[in-house]
Amino acid sequence: MILTKAQYEEIAQCLVSVPPTRQSLRKLKQRFPSQSQATLLSIFSQEYQKHIKRTHAKHHTPEAIESYYQRYLDGVGKNGAAPVLLELANEVDYAPSLMARIILERFLQGHEQTPPSKSVINNMLRDPSQIPDGVLANQVYQCIVNDCCYGPLVDCIKHAIGYEHEVLLRDLLLKKNLSFLAPEIYGKLKIPGISDEDQLRAKGYDKTPDFILQVPVGSDLAWSSTGTDLSRNWTATGKGASCSKPASPQTLSP
């Protein structure tokens, strides 16, 4: 199905006042029943990520961090089982997983002699049971599972989908009997005849996309959306043609 520019802008406008939760996605699906869940999630994620980049700094000032932490303490002091962090994130229009990171870092700073390392924080976000405070662990867990744009759960889903599309694209190239290099998939497996990323760079390739056609094709196909480049292009060059999977589940018509 072709998604027009007008349809994209209508969906994007509807997202202005919607928090990044799965409940919001269900409402979005009800509003636009003709669009697939994958399409709505893709637009939802990109528009929200643009919003987060614009507002990120204001949530990380010392004043904002202390305010959020105190509100968290007050909230769990009244009812530790309530989704305090999730509601706080939605109230200030910030991604729940990123809010969980802010509060977790602040908590550890107050309970550890040395500042927590990034790896320690990441491990606790991936596995909240490692957090030494049970109430905070539950609060962080609620944020992670209810965030459909950020967080370790989303990262795992994105990685799985990305690998699935790489396999599908590889099978398509094999079916069409096209000669190619695949640094991402085959380089790590060290399959004979397939160059890894270091070998490609040594041969003069400044980029290492998912697949590189060994014979230029002369076509230039791009998937893009209003205001955001989603392109993963076929590009004909003197060295070869690079080919990566499209980032959007649908093409967009002008």
Side-chain angles (χ1 to χ4, degrees), residues 65-104:
I65 292 174
E66 288 303 318
S67 174
Y68 296 157
Y69 188 60
Q70 190 57 52
R71 292 181 63 180
Y72 158 74
L73 292 177
D74 292 342
V76 295
K78 296 176 182 177
N79 184 357
V84 176
L85 269 189
L86 181 60
E87 291 177 352
L88 175 59
N90 290 336
E91 181 183 335
V92 301
D93 200 11
Y94 198 50
S97 292
L98 300 183
M99 177 61 73
R101 176 181 285 274
I102 289 176
I103 300 303
L104 177 58

Side-chain angles (χ1 to χ4, degrees), residues 7 27 30 81 88 92 99 122 132 142-143 155 159 167 190 196 205 222 243 248:
Q7 289 174 320
K27 294 178 181 179
Q30 295 173 356
L88 175 59
V92 301
M99 177 61 73
N122 289 338
Q142 291 177 14
C143 287
D155 290 341
H159 179 77
V167 173
K190 304 300 181 183
D196 62 18
Y205 290 95
C243 172
S248 174

